[in-house]
Amino acid sequence: MQRQSLLLVLLPAVAAAAVPTTMPGLMRLKGGSSMPTWSDNPAVIKLREIAKNPYDLSAKDAISPARINMMQASACGLKLLYGTERVDEATIDALANLAKERDVFGKMKAMMDGEVINKIESYESENRKVLHTAMRDVFDKRNEAPAAKEASDLEMAELSKLKDWCNKLDKEKTFTDLVLIGIGGSDLGPRALYLALQGYKKDNRRVHFVSNVDPDDAAMVLKGIPDLSKTLVLVCSKSGGTLETLTNEQLVRDFFVKKGLDPKKHFACVTGKGSPMDNPAEYLISFYMFDYIGGRYSATSMVGGPMLAFGLGYQNYEMILKGAHDMDRNAISEKDVRKNLPLLLALLGVWNRNFLGHQTLAVLPYSQALVRFTAHLQQLDMESNGKHIDREGRFVDYATGPIIWGEPGTNGQHSFYQLIHQGTDVVPCEFVGFTNSQFGMDLDVKGTTSQQKLNSNLLAQSLAMAQGHITSNPNKCFDGNRPNCIILGKKLDPYTLGALLSLYEHKVAFQGFLWDINSFDQEGVQLGKVLANQFLDIYQKVNKGESVPATDNLSALVQQMP
C-alpha cells in the first residue's frame, strides 16, 4: 500500500482512479493495455524453472578449459568471458528467447532510426527521440533513416567546426588549460573518458573539472591552475539555465574579473541552439547539443567533444567515436545473442537480477585509468533503469535496474572484496582488464611485470569468486557461485574506450527494452529539484534579513543548520 499512498499524495487529480484493486504491477492509472506482464512471458516462466537449479560453478571441474573456450564472445577489440556466470547453454537459449519475445532488436532499431521512444504511453513525458548513436554515425555505411541521417548531418557540421577550432588553438597556442563546467552527464562521462586516456593527452594541455555547486570545488580547481591567462573555460548546459552550472560559471567569471582578465576572451559554451547561452557577445564559440541527446548518453556528442579534443587531440577524439560506432553496429546488426556483446552482457545481468535475485552489480576495472568509469556507469545505469513503471504506465511486479558500484583493482581487493567472497549477499561482478598498459612503463620484478601481476589478480579473483574453496576451517571456507564475467582488451586506447563506452550504453538500453521501461527519462531527479528551489526561496528571505518562522518542515530544517 506504500505505492498507493504515494500516488494519493503526488497525483491527487487522479487519486480516485489510482487506487489499485490488484497487484501494483498489473494496474494502470488510466487507459488500458492487453500486453502481458513480465510474469506471463513464456521465456520468463522457463527461466524461473531453470533458476531453481542454476549451473553450479563450485562443482568439481565445473569451470573447465572447454567451458572457458566456449563461453566467450568478441567484437571491436573486446572479449567477453562468461564461463564464470551461473549459466549453461540451456540458460543462454532461454535468455535468447526472452530477447526475441521482448523484441529487443525492433526496439533498438526504433531508437537508432530516430523514432520517439522516450515516452510513457498516455502520460505526460518528454516525448523525444533518442539519438546518441547518430552522434558517432559519421563514418561509412551511415543510417539512412531520415531522423537519424538528419541528426548525424548536424553532428558532422559540429565536428567540422570542432576540427577547425582545434586547428586554430594548435596554431595560436593561446591556451594550455581548459576548465569544463557542467554537472551530471555533462561531467561524469566526459571526465571518465578524459581520465581514462591520460597516456594519449596532448603535450602542455591540461583539463580541469568543476561540477559540484559546493564552492570549494571551484576554489580548489582554480587554485591549481598555473596560468589563468592561458585558461579556457567551457560551460556546458543544454537549456542554458541549469542552476548549478550557471552558479559555478558566475563564480569562475568573478574569479577571472578579480584577476584582471576579461571572461569574454576565455569562455566558450556547449548548449542548445538559440538558448540564452548561445550568445557570441559572451562566448568565444558555441558548440551545439540537441534535445534528443540525454545527459548520460552525451559523452560522444559536443558535450564531451570539445574538451576531449582539446585535451587529447581531435584525432584521438575521432577514434573514440569510431570505436563507439563500431560497437553500435555490433549491437544492431549481430542477431546471434552469443556474438552480440551488449545484448549478451544485458541478458546475463537480467539473469542475475531477475532470476537469481541479486540486487547489486560491482563493476571492477583492473585499470587505474578507469578510476571514474564506474561512477559514470552508476549514472548511465541507475538513472536509466531505476524505474518502477513500464512504458504503459503500469507499476512493475518485477525487479528493474540493480545498484551499480565498484572501484579499480587491485586496491579494491584490500577494501570490499571480503564481503564479495564471504558476505551473506551475493554480488555479481563485471571485471574489465587489458593485456598491455597504456604508458608502457613497466619492470620485471621477481620474474613478472606489474601488468602481469595486475592481470593475475584479476583472473584469480574471477575464478575464486566462482569456484570457491571448502576446507575444514569454516573461517577459511568460500562458498563460490559468486557469478562474474570478464571484459578484456589488448590496450586501453581511444578506439577501445569508445567501444567499451558503447558496450555499456547498449547493455543498459537492451535491459530497458527487456524490462519494457523507459530508460531515457529521469523523473526521479525532478522532485528533489522542486524541493531544493523551495529551500532556496527560504534562504533568499534569510539573506534579506526577513524572519522565517518554523511553520513547516522546510523552514524547520533550515533553522537546524548550525
Side-chain angles (χ1 to χ4, degrees), residues 1-31 123 393-395:
M1 295 298 290
Q2 290 179 343
R3 284 180 174 172
Q4 175 183 331
S5 302
L6 180 65
L7 284 167
L8 293 173
V9 172
L10 298 181
L11 300 171
V14 294
V19 180
T21 57
T22 60
M23 290 286 291
L26 304 180
M27 77 87 159
R28 179 179 168 85
L29 293 181
K30 59 183 179 181
Y123 289 93
R394 302 171 298 193
F395 286 115

Side-chain angles (χ1 to χ4, degrees), residues 263-275:
K264 294 179 183 178
K265 297 179 179 179
H266 294 266
F267 279 59
C269 71
V270 179
T271 190
K273 191 170 185 178
S275 86

Side-chain angles (χ1 to χ4, degrees), residues 406-483:
E407 285 285 336
T410 59
N411 210 36
Q413 293 175 200
H414 302 274
S415 174
F416 50 80
Y417 278 43
Q418 167 62 42
L419 183 146
I420 296 177
H421 282 291
Q422 292 184 311
T424 54
D425 291 303
V426 174
V427 179
C429 299
E430 291 174 0
F431 294 93
V432 182
F434 304 94
T435 302
N436 301 309
S437 64
Q438 201 172 87
F439 286 91
M441 187 186 79
D442 209 338
L443 186 67
D444 188 309
V445 177
K446 295 188 176 181
T448 58
T449 66
S450 296
Q451 190 70 21
Q452 289 170 335
K453 292 179 177 69
L454 179 71
N455 289 331
S456 294
N457 276 276
L458 183 161
L459 298 173
Q461 291 297 326
S462 171
L463 199 57
M465 290 176 187
Q467 67 184 20
H469 180 68
I470 303 300
T471 73
S472 58
N473 182 346
N475 195 42
K476 295 183 182 295
C477 278
F478 299 84
D479 295 335
N481 278 319
R482 312 282 170 155

Side-chain angles (χ1 to χ4, degrees), residues 243-511:
L243 183 59
E244 298 98 325
T245 300
L246 293 183
T247 300
N248 279 328
E249 179 186 3
Q250 291 304 313
L251 194 65
V252 176
R253 279 183 179 270
D254 181 68
F255 188 81
F256 270 72
V257 170
K258 288 177 178 177
K259 294 295 183 180
L261 298 171
D262 183 358
K264 294 179 183 178
K265 297 179 179 179
H266 294 266
F267 279 59
C269 71
V270 179
T271 190
K273 191 170 185 178
S275 86
M277 286 175 60
D278 186 16
N279 182 359
E282 294 294 330
Y283 300 95
L284 293 169
I285 189 171
S286 295
F287 295 99
Y288 295 134
M289 54 196 297
F290 308 100
D291 68 358
Y292 43 70
I293 307 299
R296 55 193 176 274
Y297 295 93
S298 67
T300 55
S301 72
M302 285 299 110
V303 172
M307 177 276 292
L308 292 169
F310 176 91
L312 307 174
Y314 181 83
Q315 290 73 22
N316 282 327
Y317 176 61
E318 198 171 57
M319 289 306 297
I320 294 173
L321 297 181
K322 186 67 169 70
H325 170 71
D326 287 354
M327 188 62 77
D328 294 344
R329 304 319 302 165
N330 178 255
I332 188 63
S333 300
E334 181 53 73
K335 298 303 191 286
D336 185 344
V337 164
R338 289 171 172 82
K339 297 179 181 178
N340 187 314
L341 258 65
L343 180 54
L344 181 55
L345 194 61
L347 289 168
L348 291 170
V350 167
W351 169 248
N352 286 325
R353 182 77 176 106
N354 295 95
F355 302 101
L356 299 187
H358 305 317
Q359 297 181 342
T360 80
L361 171 67
V363 180
L364 308 171
Y366 273 62
S367 168
Q368 192 61 30
L370 294 175
V371 63
R372 293 296 292 169
F373 192 70
T374 302
H376 168 56
L377 295 185
Q378 285 179 323
Q379 185 199 19
L380 174 65
D381 199 311
M382 295 169 72
E383 196 170 76
S384 294
N385 290 341
K387 308 293 170 60
H388 65 183
I389 64 169
D390 66 14
R391 296 178 62 83
E392 297 291 325
R394 302 171 298 193
F395 286 115
V396 299
D397 59 352
Y398 49 89
T400 57
I403 297 168
I404 307 296
W405 61 286
E407 285 285 336
T410 59
N411 210 36
Q413 293 175 200
H414 302 274
S415 174
F416 50 80
Y417 278 43
Q418 167 62 42
L419 183 146
I420 296 177
H421 282 291
Q422 292 184 311
T424 54
D425 291 303
V426 174
V427 179
C429 299
E430 291 174 0
F431 294 93
V432 182
F434 304 94
T435 302
N436 301 309
S437 64
Q438 201 172 87
F439 286 91
M441 187 186 79
D442 209 338
L443 186 67
D444 188 309
V445 177
K446 295 188 176 181
T448 58
T449 66
S450 296
Q451 190 70 21
Q452 289 170 335
K453 292 179 177 69
L454 179 71
N455 289 331
S456 294
N457 276 276
L458 183 161
L459 298 173
Q461 291 297 326
S462 171
L463 199 57
M465 290 176 187
Q467 67 184 20
H469 180 68
I470 303 300
T471 73
S472 58
N473 182 346
N475 195 42
K476 295 183 182 295
C477 278
F478 299 84
D479 295 335
N481 278 319
R482 312 282 170 155
N484 67 85
C485 62
I486 307 173
I487 300 166
L488 295 174
K490 289 184 178 179
K491 184 179 181 180
L492 184 58
D493 56 26
Y495 177 90
T496 302
L497 180 62
L500 184 66
L501 174 71
S502 175
L503 169 64
Y504 273 99
E505 287 178 348
H506 292 308
K507 172 201 171 182
V508 168
F510 272 133
Q511 288 185 333

Side-chain angles (χ1 to χ4, degrees), residues 22 33 35 38 51 67 158 200 232 267 276 293 331 353 389 394 421 424 431 474 503 517-519 540 557:
T22 60
S33 172
M35 189 187 81
W38 173 267
R67 177 179 172 85
E158 292 303 301
Y200 295 87
L232 182 68
F267 279 59
I293 307 299
R353 182 77 176 106
I389 64 169
R394 302 171 298 193
H421 282 291
T424 54
F431 294 93
L503 169 64
I517 58 178
N518 182 8
S519 300
Q540 287 179 0
L557 284 169

Side-chain angles (χ1 to χ4, degrees), residues 199-219:
Y200 295 87
K201 68 187 295 290
K202 286 179 70 72
D203 292 338
N204 302 314
R205 291 277 178 88
R206 293 171 293 270
V207 175
H208 316 269
F209 301 89
V210 175
S211 60
N212 199 331
V213 76
D214 180 349
D216 287 342
D217 187 17

